[in-house]
Amino acid sequence: MKNPLTPEQEAKLVSAIRQAEIKTSGEIRVHLEDTCPTPEPLDRAAQVFAELNMHRTAQRNGVLFYLAWEARRFAVIGDAGINAAVPDDFWETTKETVLKHFRANDYVTGLEKGVRMVGEQLQHFFPYDAGTDSNELDDSISFGKPTPPRA
């Protein structure tokens, strides 16, 4: 896939992830790809979550922002630890905040706000402990495989 982000936008998102993770043991990833190969983006997000080994965090507190760029499909998914901790409407509220910016074609701001919202919840439920915490997952944005050309 062609990276839809400029180097500055990508750096801005990685910085938002790092800022969100500073005060928590939680882990946040952003994954972009051209199209969503499943009917539901949440199903694809779950696949990517597993492929990125996000379920292997010590406290099961990883969160993935999934965006199929060209298809305009989006999902946010959290592991068992954070799912058990956040309020019932948290994921839907976060998704709607992000989508509000997506509708205005402001994808970077939408993702940044979503990352911040998740970071606040992670900080509340999984505060950073200098003695035990480490950065368990890569902070960089991951990208899907290129979409094959149509015949």
Side-chain angles (χ1 to χ4, degrees), residues 78-107:
D79 206 347
I82 182 134
N83 277 339
V86 295
D88 291 338
D89 66 341
F90 176 70
W91 298 115
E92 191 61 31
T93 302
T94 303
K95 179 181 164 187
E96 283 307 313
T97 298
V98 173
L99 288 175
K100 181 177 97 175
H101 293 279
F102 284 8
R103 288 181 193 108
N105 290 319
D106 192 356
Y107 293 94

Side-chain angles (χ1 to χ4, degrees), residues 16-147:
I17 292 167
R18 289 182 178 148
Q19 283 299 117
E21 290 182 356
I22 276 178
K23 298 179 182 174
T24 179
S25 64
E27 298 290 334
I28 301 170
R29 297 286 318 257
V30 172
H31 181 83
L32 303 177
E33 56 189 14
D34 295 331
T35 61
C36 183
T38 61
E40 289 296 322
L42 195 56
D43 293 339
R44 177 61 179 150
Q47 290 173 348
V48 171
F49 195 95
E51 289 169 10
L52 295 174
N53 292 315
M54 293 187 67
H55 59 286
R56 293 191 178 165
T57 59
Q59 295 185 29
R60 302 290 305 267
N61 55 5
V63 176
L64 175 68
F65 287 83
Y66 168 81
L67 174 59
W69 190 265
E70 290 177 3
R72 296 179 166 261
R73 307 293 300 269
F74 172 74
V76 58
I77 186 171
D79 206 347
I82 182 134
N83 277 339
V86 295
D88 291 338
D89 66 341
F90 176 70
W91 298 115
E92 191 61 31
T93 302
T94 303
K95 179 181 164 187
E96 283 307 313
T97 298
V98 173
L99 288 175
K100 181 177 97 175
H101 293 279
F102 284 8
R103 288 181 193 108
N105 290 319
D106 192 356
Y107 293 94
V108 174
T109 299
L111 288 169
E112 280 182 304
K113 287 198 177 196
V115 165
R116 256 183 283 168
M117 290 173 74
V118 166
E120 289 168 6
Q121 292 298 306
L122 286 168
Q123 180 182 346
H124 178 71
F125 293 109
F126 302 94
Y128 180 75
D129 179 343
T132 60
D133 289 342
S134 64
N135 193 8
E136 297 175 272
L137 299 174
D138 189 348
D139 295 334
S140 67
I141 297 169
S142 60
F143 296 93
K145 295 177 183 152
T147 303

